[in-house]
Amino acid sequence: SNDYRVVVFGAGGVGKSSLVLRFVKGTFRDAYIPTIEDTYRQVISCNKNVCTLQITDTTGSHQFPAMQRLNITKGHAFMLVFSVTSKQSLEELNHIYREILDTKQNDNDTIPLILVGNKCDEEGQREVTAEYAQEYCSKILKGFGYIETSAKTGHNVHEAFQELLSMDKTRNMSL
Ligand code: GDP
Ligand code: MG
């Protein structure tokens, strides 16, 4: 089909839903409303045609394993989100990263995947430096891109999605 599916993974509370809502609707809310699972659709340009960008906002660590596998199987590109205010939230991504590699191991092309350090507006609460995250990316996530965002201020949110889409060399996509 003509759909391009992006799946957003990460621990509860890191700001997955906030990033997606900021990107899709341009809004932000301070309240924490746990997500079941939501998919948002946007029309984008792909190989000079229009296609539908589907963004799946997952529940986080308490996802049913079968649901998680299905999301990985169906996904084309992955956004792995942690909060720069929680080192634990970065470590929790190891597991999902392995799952993605295991599931997609037969694909020859490199998997479009970006590590996103959200809540970069909370400088005073920071537990993960940009340097540490970069290092983590080159060692554990093996060379995937890293970007810091704030769903609260909107900093780099559009850029994170754009960067992820540009990683897929099999199609020419733009927002
Ligand atoms: P999710 O569980 O990963 O979907 O996280 P949510 O998007 O529901 O956000 C969890 C909490 O963090 C909410 O209270 C949000 O308002 C807050 N939050 C999300 N993104 C940011 C951000 O960039 N900066 C700050 N300061 N708070 C954020
Ligand atoms: Mg959520």
Side-chain angles (χ1 to χ4, degrees), residues 11-18 29 32-36 38 57-60:
V14 299
K16 296 178 297 299
S17 300
S18 300
R29 58 183 189 213
Y32 179 30
I33 304 163
T35 317
I36 307 296
D38 274 322
D57 173 24
T58 67
T59 48

Side-chain angles (χ1 to χ4, degrees), residues 5-6 22 38 49 52 54 56 61 72-73 76 78 82 85 88-89 98 102 104-105 112 159:
R5 291 181 293 272
V6 167
R22 167 63 77 188
D38 274 322
N49 284 309
T52 306
Q54 275 194 34
T56 299
S61 353
I72 296 173
T73 306
H76 295 106
F78 304 93
F82 71 99
T85 64
Q88 163 84 24
S89 72
R98 299 267 162 263
D102 286 350
K104 297 288 192 193
Q105 63 191 353
E159 288 78 358

Side-chain angles (χ1 to χ4, degrees), residues 146-160:
Y146 176 59
I147 190 166
E148 293 202 339
T149 59
S150 167
K152 187 170 187 171
T153 69
H155 177 72
N156 270 350
V157 174
H158 191 88
E159 288 78 358

